[in-house]
Amino acid sequence: MTDSLRPYGNRRTPLPPAQSSVPGVPSPRPTPQNQHDSRAAPSPAAGARPAGSGRQRDAFFDNAKYLAIVLVGVGHAWGQILDGNRTVETLYRVVYTFHMPAFIIISGYFSRGFDMSPRRVKRLVTGVAVPYVVFEIAYSLHKRVVDHDPQHDISLLDPTYLLWFLCALFVWRLTTPLWKTVRRPLPIALAIALLASMAPSIGNDLNMQRVLQFLPCFVLGLMMRPEHFQLVRRRSVRIWSVPVAAAAVAVAWWSVPRMDTAWFYRNTTAQSIGAPWWTGPVVTLALFGCSLVLTACFFAWVPGRRMWFTALGAGTIYGYLLHGFLVKTGNYEGWFGLPALSGPAGEIGLTVLAAVVITLLCTAPVRRVLRCVVEPGMEWAFRRDAAELAREREKRDGTGQRVEREQREKVSA
């Protein structure tokens, strides 16, 4: 969901053709061989870079981020009307199997260049840690006021609702150098996730269950290269994804009365939902496999060219962080219990409304207003990087020498 959550790309990967980072400005269509450059776009929860930054974007990843954030918003809306509604819960389970894994895989892909340098750490703090603190306080105050609960605690160790993703991304990014060093990062991450699924002692601080159970998706993203995304976007994969998605819907329909929905949240252990301890690793591994298959199907159908919604992919962090206030308000005020939402027309209307709202929250006006809290610069809080100072000094000295040379030439002339 969150850089902003900016990309940390591979410096040796060639850049695609010029493509504007400014939302709403048309830009040339990337060519197939270089349209997946790791520096071309921010991570899925990312905000846009400032105008004039010169950083080029990739339409495919912006499209994927936008479509994924719409699924997040729709899924959160569906989650409020699940009781006794098998059709909605079936779709809900399918979406929850892959929408966050897709987000996290892309986040890992754009975290490959994270190296604990001062510049990267600064981005991590301003783009992840600071928004987490700001919105954790904001969500707590929102509950105090709207839900009439003045005693509600403000705790930075217990992420509210969707803020777990920022907390998880902070931890994952800090561990990136480790995963880039070990020989078999994915099996190790999977082993950690499987152990977490049967270890209630981990507790809820920083939502560590989700941090650990979704860790393999992030590590997989770190291991991916542009050619891997090309593989899943072939025509044959696109064709096969249709029956695979249909089969996923059928399995989800079958699972509704037989499987606890809590498994799909990856935030608990087998023992916590009354299942034998050994089912934790089994279900976690099965869900990871299903997530990869459905994520591949999702990527297969994401357009690679610029679409009307491509520019919105730069603002997904805004849609992610803000739509939770509306969902929570609906819960506090009882909106989701209205009779109008009990039939198919109401369910379809809620789905469309959720998609429209999340789209509006990703637009440029919203980003301009809230950039100071979602993507703060905070230059005042950091020491200048020595390398950056040296570059500025070299540039300044070069400019001075050029001016002095021009003056000498004028005198001699």
Side-chain angles (χ1 to χ4, degrees):
M1 293 149 202
T2 326
D3 334 300
S4 93
L5 314 184
R6 296 185 176 97
Y8 301 119
N10 186 333
R11 294 179 181 176
R12 290 177 292 182
T13 307
L15 284 170
Q19 189 173 357
S20 173
S21 65
V22 183
V25 178
S27 41
R29 183 174 174 180
T31 55
Q33 64 267 28
N34 57 18
Q35 69 180 15
H36 299 304
D37 171 57
S38 63
R39 295 185 294 174
S43 75
R49 287 184 174 274
S53 66
R55 186 60 59 92
Q56 298 156 323
R57 302 188 64 89
D58 188 310
F60 168 77
F61 286 106
D62 276 341
N63 292 339
K65 290 185 296 173
Y66 167 76
L67 295 174
I69 198 62
V70 168
L71 290 176
V72 169
V74 169
H76 285 159
W78 285 346
Q80 316 309 314
I81 58 171
L82 292 182
D83 291 343
N85 195 326
R86 190 169 181 178
T87 300
V88 172
E89 185 159 359
T90 295
L91 298 176
Y92 179 80
R93 291 185 176 207
V94 172
V95 167
Y96 263 69
T97 300
F98 77 91
H99 74 329
M100 285 312 299
F103 240 120
I104 295 166
I105 287 172
I106 300 178
S107 293
Y109 178 72
F110 286 114
S111 296
R112 292 177 300 155
F114 186 82
D115 54 8
M116 297 297 288
S117 66
R119 183 166 62 95
R120 308 294 195 193
V121 172
K122 175 187 172 185
R123 287 185 185 177
L124 183 62
V125 171
T126 59
V128 182
V130 171
Y132 170 73
V133 173
V134 169
F135 278 88
E136 181 60 44
I137 295 172
Y139 272 100
S140 298
L141 296 177
H142 176 261
K143 180 172 176 60
R144 287 186 178 189
V145 174
V146 181
D147 198 30
H148 309 291
D149 183 8
Q151 304 304 318
H152 180 72
D153 291 335
I154 297 177
S155 173
L156 298 181
L157 295 179
D158 185 15
T160 299
Y161 196 31
L162 46 72
L163 295 179
W164 71 268
F165 179 71
L166 292 185
C167 185
L169 189 60
F170 186 84
V171 175
W172 294 333
R173 281 249 170 96
L174 285 179
T175 63
T176 293
L178 169 66
W179 302 116
K180 292 165 60 179
T181 302
V182 298
R183 284 184 180 273
R184 299 288 184 268
L186 188 58
I188 294 174
L190 271 172
I192 292 173
L194 300 184
L195 290 172
S197 69
M198 57 180 182
S201 59
I202 289 175
N204 295 322
D205 288 350
L206 300 180
N207 216 321
M208 285 304 295
Q209 278 293 344
R210 270 180 168 156
V211 173
L212 299 178
Q213 291 192 38
F214 277 118
L215 176 63
C217 297
F218 182 81
V219 173
L220 177 63
L222 287 174
M223 298 170 59
M224 294 186 70
R225 294 293 179 266
E227 55 268 25
H228 297 140
F229 289 96
Q230 292 282 18
L231 287 175
V232 299
R233 298 180 61 210
R234 293 178 299 177
R235 185 171 180 270
S236 59
V237 179
R238 192 173 295 118
I239 292 172
W240 275 105
S241 66
V242 176
V244 168
V249 171
V251 171
W253 175 273
W254 172 87
S255 74
V256 169
R258 298 173 176 84
M259 182 178 179
D260 197 313
T261 308
W263 285 111
F264 293 86
Y265 302 141
R266 277 89 150 183
N267 66 348
T268 189
T269 60
Q271 298 94 314
S272 300
I273 56 178
W277 66 268
W278 57 267
T279 60
V282 172
V283 175
T284 300
L285 188 60
L287 281 175
F288 178 70
C290 293
S291 297
L292 295 189
V293 172
L294 290 181
T295 298
C297 294
F298 171 70
F299 286 150
W301 282 96
V302 171
R305 65 185 185 280
R306 290 190 63 82
M307 309 290 289
W308 65 267
F309 53 78
T310 300
L312 299 176
T316 50
I317 181 62
Y318 294 82
Y320 183 82
L321 292 175
L322 296 174
H323 83 278
F325 288 107
L326 298 176
V327 176
K328 285 294 185 182
T329 300
N331 273 326
Y332 301 152
E333 300 294 339
W335 296 345
F336 296 106
L338 295 175
L341 299 179
S342 60
E347 295 156 4
I348 294 173
L350 179 63
T351 302
V352 173
L353 179 62
V356 170
V357 167
I358 205 81
T359 297
L360 293 176
L361 293 177
C362 294
T363 56
V366 174
R367 285 152 47 196
R368 279 196 296 270
V369 172
L370 294 177
R371 191 182 301 277
C372 58
V373 293
V374 179
E375 303 177 86
M378 296 183 63
E379 299 295 337
W380 53 269
F382 299 93
R383 282 189 258 179
R384 299 290 299 278
D385 183 10
E388 181 181 352
L389 290 173
R391 285 193 298 269
E392 288 185 1
R393 192 181 305 113
E394 182 180 346
K395 181 179 180 182
R396 187 168 56 250
D397 292 345
T399 302
Q401 292 173 2
R402 188 180 70 252
V403 171
E404 185 178 346
R405 184 171 60 254
E406 290 175 352
Q407 289 176 342
R408 287 198 305 267
E409 290 175 353
K410 286 181 181 179
V411 171
S412 61

